[in-house]
Amino acid sequence: MKNTILLLLLCLSFSAYANEEREKTALKKSYFYGLEYRIKAGFNIGGTSPLPLPAEIRELKSYRPGMQIAIEGNVIKWLDEQKKWGALLGIRLESKGMRTDARVKNYYMVMDASEGDQTGHMEGNWTGYVKTTVKNSYATIPIQVIHKLSPRWDIKFGPYISILTDGDFSGSAYDGYLREGNPTGTKVNVTEATYDFSSDLRKFQWGVDVGGEWRAYRHLSVYADLTWGLNGIFPKDFKSITFKMYNIYLNFGFGYVF
């Protein structure tokens, strides 16, 4: 009888221990495979600009960012039980653009003149004014590390890659003159000319994305992300503009945490 009772107690103890271990394993598995989902909607404001500004650009007369919309979905996998560190993968559909009017000197240009001393296709060093319109649409994938500073504050950082889905880089040159071929070439007065480099835009771009998100309510958040392109918007063999131009934009708006 004593042996039977002892064996029964041992079986009960082992069963309780096994149940406890199964519960722990199930909890760990559910945590390991558990994901957090977020959606965001906001605006991009910034510019497509050379760094640093070249000497050829003497004055920026006007700048208009326009309405640049961004819609994004994120999946987050927290890597510790306290949910302090995690990995974020997302998809963002966005537009980046601006309108500028600048005064330039010896600015290399390829353009089609419609008014002035000479009309038709021209290229050389332009001195005068340049209006530029940039309106590019991208499908962007951010791959980031996310860190929870507090129950309300998250910060994140990491690379992103973008695929150009629709591009517009065009404008006009006006009230100036062109030195054909080089800065000492024949001077041609031009009243109005146009250019369009939309078909020359680089299809693949990448850069860094750094930002923060504040949980205003249980599900509603406010965020701001700085995206900084690390390769130019034109390929290396593009000669119509002699300096690299980078996408530098602040993306801000509201998010929903599921």
Side-chain angles (χ1 to χ4, degrees), residues 7 9-10 14 16-17 26 29 32 52 54-55 60 65 78 100 122 143 164 176 182 198 201 226 238:
L7 181 60
L9 290 175
L10 287 173
F14 180 78
Y17 174 77
K29 285 185 176 180
F32 182 79
L60 188 63
W78 295 106
T100 62
M122 304 173 64
I143 306 168
L164 181 71
N182 56 68
S198 302
L201 289 164
L226 176 65
F238 182 71

Side-chain angles (χ1 to χ4, degrees), residues 157-177:
F157 52 91
Y160 73 85
I161 57 175
S162 291
I163 305 298
L164 181 71
T165 57
D166 187 38
D168 179 13
F169 190 104
S170 58
S172 62
Y174 65 99
D175 293 347
Y177 62 87

Side-chain angles (χ1 to χ4, degrees), residues 46-54 57 60 63 96-98 100 107 132 134 136 169 205 228-234 241 243-249:
T48 302
S49 171
L51 286 176
L53 284 178
I57 300 178
L60 188 63
Y63 161 77
K96 294 180 176 180
M98 62 178 188
T100 62
Y107 185 95
T132 302
V134 180
N136 298 329
F169 190 104
Q205 295 180 32
W228 196 298
L230 296 180
N231 63 341
I233 65 169
F234 294 108
I241 297 178
F243 43 80
K244 290 184 178 181
M245 302 187 71
Y246 302 91
N247 281 329
I248 305 171
Y249 287 85

Side-chain angles (χ1 to χ4, degrees), residues 7 31 54 67 92 110 124 168 172 176 179 194 202 206 236:
L7 181 60
Y31 170 73
M67 185 70 72
R92 180 165 64 240
V110 177
D168 179 13
S172 62
R179 293 283 186 179
T194 60
R202 189 193 296 269
W206 66 282
K236 291 182 179 180

Side-chain angles (χ1 to χ4, degrees), residues 138-189:
Y138 297 95
T140 298
I141 300 175
I143 306 168
Q144 297 176 298
V145 174
I146 183 169
H147 176 54
K148 187 177 290 293
L149 294 175
S150 72
R152 287 182 177 267
W153 276 102
D154 296 337
I155 59 172
K156 51 191 176 178
F157 52 91
Y160 73 85
I161 57 175
S162 291
I163 305 298
L164 181 71
T165 57
D166 187 38
D168 179 13
F169 190 104
S170 58
S172 62
Y174 65 99
D175 293 347
Y177 62 87
L178 187 80
R179 293 283 186 179
E180 291 186 309
N182 56 68
T184 60
T186 303
K187 180 179 178 180
V188 180
N189 293 311

Side-chain angles (χ1 to χ4, degrees), residues 15-36:
S15 178
Y17 174 77
N19 287 333
E20 184 179 353
E21 288 301 311
R22 279 196 296 269
E23 290 177 0
K24 288 181 179 180
T25 301
L27 181 62
K28 288 180 180 179
K29 285 185 176 180
S30 65
Y31 170 73
F32 182 79
Y33 292 107
L35 300 172
E36 182 178 309

Side-chain angles (χ1 to χ4, degrees), residues 5 124 161 191 209:
I5 293 175
I161 57 175
T191 305
D209 187 335

